[in-house]
């Protein structure tokens, strides 16, 4: 795999911060919509709107607004990576052992979501599972790998080295970080 966008490695320092234990659930996001604090958004796929499934299909700006409405913020890439990989930079939240369906909701030989079919057409495509359906990783966080993709507050850059001070040092904010 091309990992050139993960280079060069850098040593950074992180201040103490908090992360939610789970991905934002469909029910939590819809409660924010009902309260008038979030823009209406729904998953684009059937069988992805169970109350405890992760909310998927929102745009970055909607995720950003949800976090603000909750008095929080999207994590920076550095915050997310530290939470997922720990202080030693292990490959996964559980260590360096390869992903498996016992550790994360991933695609395996049985298909997406470890072979859990979705209702309706194309059940083989699978669906997300309820948040926390796999054991916690480091720091007690759930679903840091698999199930649904997460947004970070940073913008993408091909070169963290070219990003300069915004991507280095203590609590890097990433490219275009404020």
């Amino acid at each position: 795999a091309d990992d050139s966008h993960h280079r060069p490695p850098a040593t950074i320092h992180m201040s103490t911060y908090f992360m939610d234990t789970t991905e934002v659930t469909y029910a939590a996001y819809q409660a924010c919509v009902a309260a008038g604090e979030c823009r209406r958004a729904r998953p684009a796929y059937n069988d992805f709107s169970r109350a405890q499934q992760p909310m998927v299909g929102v745009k970055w700006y909607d995720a950003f607004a949800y976090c603000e409405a909750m008095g929080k913020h999207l994590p920076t890439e550095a915050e997310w990576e530290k939470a997922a990989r720990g202080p030693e930079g292990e490959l996964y939240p559980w260590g360096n052992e390869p992903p498996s369906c016992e550790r994360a909701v991933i695609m395996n030989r049985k298909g997406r979501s470890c072979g859990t079919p979705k209702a309706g057409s194309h059940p083989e495509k699978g669906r997300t599972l309820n948040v926390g359906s796999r054991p916690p990783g480091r720091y007690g966080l759930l679903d840091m790998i698999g199930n649904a993709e997460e947004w970070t507050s940073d913008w993408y850059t091909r070169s963290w080295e070219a990003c300069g001070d915004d991507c280095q040092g203590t609590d890097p904010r990433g490219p275009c970080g404020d």
Side-chain angles (χ1 to χ4, degrees):
D2 176 20
D3 67 352
S4 60
H5 58 283
H6 293 257
R7 303 278 182 224
T11 299
I12 61 168
H13 301 279
M14 302 297 298
S15 299
T16 300
Y17 61 97
F18 294 93
M19 290 203 48
D20 285 352
T21 305
T22 69
E23 297 161 313
V24 174
T25 64
Y26 176 81
Y29 189 87
Q30 296 310 317
C32 187
V33 171
E37 297 184 28
C38 291
R39 196 170 76 142
R40 183 173 164 81
R42 298 181 72 76
Y45 314 105
N46 66 338
D47 206 17
F48 278 63
S49 57
R50 297 173 188 203
Q52 294 305 305
Q53 283 178 295
M55 180 61 190
V56 296
V58 295
K59 296 179 169 114
W60 182 90
Y61 294 100
D62 295 332
F64 184 90
Y66 172 85
C67 291
E68 278 195 329
M70 299 297 114
K72 302 174 184 182
H73 69 273
L74 285 173
T76 64
E77 183 175 345
E79 288 171 335
W80 189 92
E81 191 164 329
K82 167 73 183 288
R85 298 181 69 193
E88 302 304 317
E90 294 174 299
L91 293 175
Y92 307 104
W94 53 81
N96 289 320
E97 299 83 23
S100 69
C101 287
E102 289 73 36
R103 294 184 181 108
V105 181
I106 58 172
M107 183 185 294
N108 71 354
R109 283 180 261 131
K110 295 179 182 178
R112 291 184 185 139
S113 303
C114 298
T116 302
K118 73 177 184 76
S121 63
H122 302 290
E124 73 281 357
K125 290 188 175 181
R127 63 175 170 82
T128 56
L129 302 185
N130 286 352
V131 299
S133 63
R134 297 298 185 266
R138 69 180 44 80
Y139 309 120
L141 301 175
L142 298 158
D143 303 312
M144 292 295 289
I145 300 291
N147 213 20
E149 296 177 351
E150 287 81 18
W151 288 114
T152 63
S153 63
D154 305 32
W155 296 99
Y156 175 75
T157 182
R158 286 192 168 273
S159 172
W160 287 91
E161 187 173 47
C163 176
D165 290 343
D166 285 342
C167 295
Q168 300 172 22
T170 300
D171 300 326
R173 305 301 296 164
C176 302
D178 292 331

